[in-house]
Amino acid sequence: MRFVLALDQGTTSSRAILFDKSGQIQSVAQKEFEQIYPNPGWVEHNPDEIWSTQIGTASEALGRAGVSASDVAAVGITNQRETTIIWDRETGEPIHNAIVWQDRRTSGICDRLKDQGHLDLFQEKTGLILDAYFSGTKIKWLLDNVDGARKRAENGELAFGTVDSWLVWNLTGGSRHVTDATNASRTLLYNIHEGEWDDELLDILDVPRPLLPEVEDSSAVYGETKVDAFGTSVPIGGIAGDQQAALFGQMCTSPGLGKNTYGTGAFMVQNTGQEAVTSENNLLTTIGYQLDDTTYYALEGSIFVAGAVVQWLRDELQIIRDAPEVEKLARKVDDNGGAYFVPAFTGLGAPHWDQYARGTIVGLTRGVNRNHLARAAIEGMAYQVADVIDAMEADSGIKTRELRADGGAAANDLLLQFQSDILDVPVIRPETLETTALGAAYLAGLAVGFWESQSEIKDQWELDKRFTPSMSPDRVETLRTGWSKAVERARAWEFPDDSESSQTTAGENGTTEETAASPS
Ligand code: ADP
């Protein structure tokens, strides 16, 4: 068998990518699906559409490569995290739309739990903060609001799953109700230290145990596909939430290795090995992956605006026509001309946590031109990532050895060089930027012996470019001091009682302090 098929079930689209044994992409298929907004702050997906688009893209990817399912050694799954689905075990019918990770309807439940003093308990056991993002309160909401659901859940008639579980259930014709440890670690119900659903947390959140899936390793044969789309049965061999899959796809498999995804926002995850590090800097502690019954932990921090600042330069300021042009402008000048750009358009995420911060450009003089602004915008992305990495190092005591980059803005050489300079750490860009799907493929391929070992994968992991630090420590310090001053200027710009509009803006963008904690 020559291929592994990765199913990449994202927030706005389902994708399927076929990889060969050397980790090269053979074909890609993608389908968007509907975003449903029944009320302000509510976001839903139709679970049947998640399934139909996902299985549709799987067939399409095979078709495009002219490959039959009998050539596929295993299927791997990576998914939008935390999104919650409950269905009937008998009929397979969902009892409600999926409640998506972005959905804020359970903020009130979280506030009440905090008022009752449960914050520390949840952080201690799950590594998470009490926030509507995570699955636990969404399950509670469904059981409390769908007619008869609680009773049926107690009777064992219903099944809960994150999107991975829902896909496995459907792929296996309803024979397997299972998830992996990375997805379980985003539910507020899973004790990440003990590796099991936690009765005390289930009790607090009113979630009956019969609802829950079995939790397995991230690389394991969960079952065989039983769907017409494949024609033959294929083992399902890997599952990981999207950010964790990217960590594995980047082969960040030892402590101190981390990856940052420079997309619309930026998502930093660092491997802390077999130790779950409790954050004192508002980062999340989470399961990075679980292999051979061994759990590997990670710290996670998210930044709201990264590549989006480049979109802003293009669409609002209109000083560039397309994203790559930002680098051309920035290269026309040697430095930022004294200008710092804090892109706190929707507040600041980790580690500053200020929902009332707003975008700020400081240090302007007569000589600052659009080239400097382009440069300051690129540098602003890198400073934010450096601030998160500092927080991670402070929490874990582990010095970052190198940073692996992916996401759309990782195409920008100037950004990655500057990142390396200010961190004094090498930054690596891999050949394949589809690291999320690749991670799912690796996990699946390892489970069935398509790849023998992690070292075989590491050998084929190809570097596109390595950026090494070349800036003097004095210069780094001057720049980072300037950035810190700029962040201070951006902070606490809006206040909740300043004006109604400030509150609305924060709400609409889902940018409360807590919402930002969990990139998906
Ligand atoms: P997402 O998955 O979050 O939608 P992507 O990983 O596709 O995002 O990355 C898209 C983002 O990357 C956009 O915000 C875009 O402005 C930015 N981007 C793309 N190319 C470049 C570039 N050469 N330099 C800087 N930013 C870029």
Side-chain angles (χ1 to χ4, degrees), residues 96-155:
H96 191 274
N97 273 339
I99 303 186
V100 177
W101 57 274
Q102 299 151 320
D103 189 292
R104 306 302 305 162
R105 80 185 66 180
T106 59
S107 299
I109 303 179
C110 293
D111 289 341
R112 280 194 292 285
L113 292 169
K114 281 184 226 165
D115 290 344
Q116 292 160 9
H118 291 310
L119 195 67
D120 289 348
L121 181 76
F122 276 92
Q123 197 201 20
E124 224 168 83
K125 291 190 168 191
T126 70
L128 307 175
I129 53 174
L130 264 177
D131 188 80
Y133 245 141
F134 304 108
S135 315
T137 57
K138 299 181 196 293
I139 302 175
K140 179 173 165 51
W141 188 93
L142 287 167
L143 297 182
D144 288 344
N145 288 278
V146 176
D147 260 359
R150 182 164 294 286
K151 190 99 209 106
R152 290 163 71 200
E154 282 161 3
N155 291 342

Side-chain angles (χ1 to χ4, degrees), residues 43-246:
V43 189
E44 298 181 357
H45 293 156
N46 177 343
D48 293 326
E49 209 189 346
I50 289 180
W51 166 241
S52 63
T53 51
Q54 190 62 76
I55 196 67
T57 56
S59 306
E60 211 178 308
L62 292 176
R64 279 195 185 162
V67 162
S68 91
S70 56
D71 266 336
V72 176
V75 172
I77 295 173
T78 179
N79 54 291
Q80 53 166 319
R81 302 178 301 178
E82 299 107 8
T83 296
T84 298
I85 306 174
I86 297 182
W87 64 94
D88 184 307
R89 289 178 186 275
E90 197 66 49
T91 63
E93 295 282 331
I95 65 164
H96 191 274
N97 273 339
I99 303 186
V100 177
W101 57 274
Q102 299 151 320
D103 189 292
R104 306 302 305 162
R105 80 185 66 180
T106 59
S107 299
I109 303 179
C110 293
D111 289 341
R112 280 194 292 285
L113 292 169
K114 281 184 226 165
D115 290 344
Q116 292 160 9
H118 291 310
L119 195 67
D120 289 348
L121 181 76
F122 276 92
Q123 197 201 20
E124 224 168 83
K125 291 190 168 191
T126 70
L128 307 175
I129 53 174
L130 264 177
D131 188 80
Y133 245 141
F134 304 108
S135 315
T137 57
K138 299 181 196 293
I139 302 175
K140 179 173 165 51
W141 188 93
L142 287 167
L143 297 182
D144 288 344
N145 288 278
V146 176
D147 260 359
R150 182 164 294 286
K151 190 99 209 106
R152 290 163 71 200
E154 282 161 3
N155 291 342
E157 293 166 32
L158 301 181
F160 148 75
T162 38
V163 170
D164 55 307
S165 297
W166 171 243
L167 293 178
V168 173
W169 173 274
N170 282 287
L171 282 166
T172 60
S175 65
R176 294 289 282 132
H177 182 213
V178 63
T179 189
D180 91 301
T182 67
N183 279 293
S185 78
R186 316 297 294 189
T187 59
L188 284 174
L189 301 172
Y190 191 71
N191 186 318
I192 60 171
H193 312 284
E194 307 291 331
E196 58 189 24
W197 300 117
D198 189 288
D199 284 325
E200 189 180 6
L201 303 181
L202 291 175
D203 201 39
I204 294 171
L205 284 169
D206 273 341
V207 175
R209 203 174 243 274
L211 202 55
L212 301 174
E214 263 176 62
V215 183
E216 295 198 20
D217 280 358
S218 312
S219 178
V221 177
Y222 310 97
E224 302 266 333
T225 61
K226 280 190 204 135
V227 278
D228 297 342
F230 288 151
T232 181
S233 66
V234 180
I236 304 162
I239 301 179
D242 51 13
Q243 296 305 323
Q244 283 95 333

Side-chain angles (χ1 to χ4, degrees), residues 9 19 23 31 42 76 78 93 123 167 200 260 353 359 364 391 411 440 472 518:
Q9 207 302 305
F19 291 96
K31 276 202 180 81
W42 294 28
T78 179
E93 295 282 331
Q123 197 201 20
L167 293 178
E200 189 180 6
N260 185 59
W353 300 108
L364 298 180
S472 76
S518 165

Side-chain angles (χ1 to χ4, degrees), residues 262-264 307-308 310-311 323-324 326 407-409 412:
Y262 299 86
T264 308
V310 176
Q311 293 168 332
V326 74
N412 190 314

Side-chain angles (χ1 to χ4, degrees), residues 12 261-265 267 306-312 314 322-327 378 381 406-413 415:
T12 56
T261 302
Y262 299 86
T264 308
F267 306 116
V309 74
V310 176
Q311 293 168 332
W312 185 81
R314 184 194 61 194
D322 56 22
E325 204 184 338
V326 74
E327 185 172 350
I378 293 172
M381 288 190 237
D406 53 46
N412 190 314
D413 283 7
L415 166 66

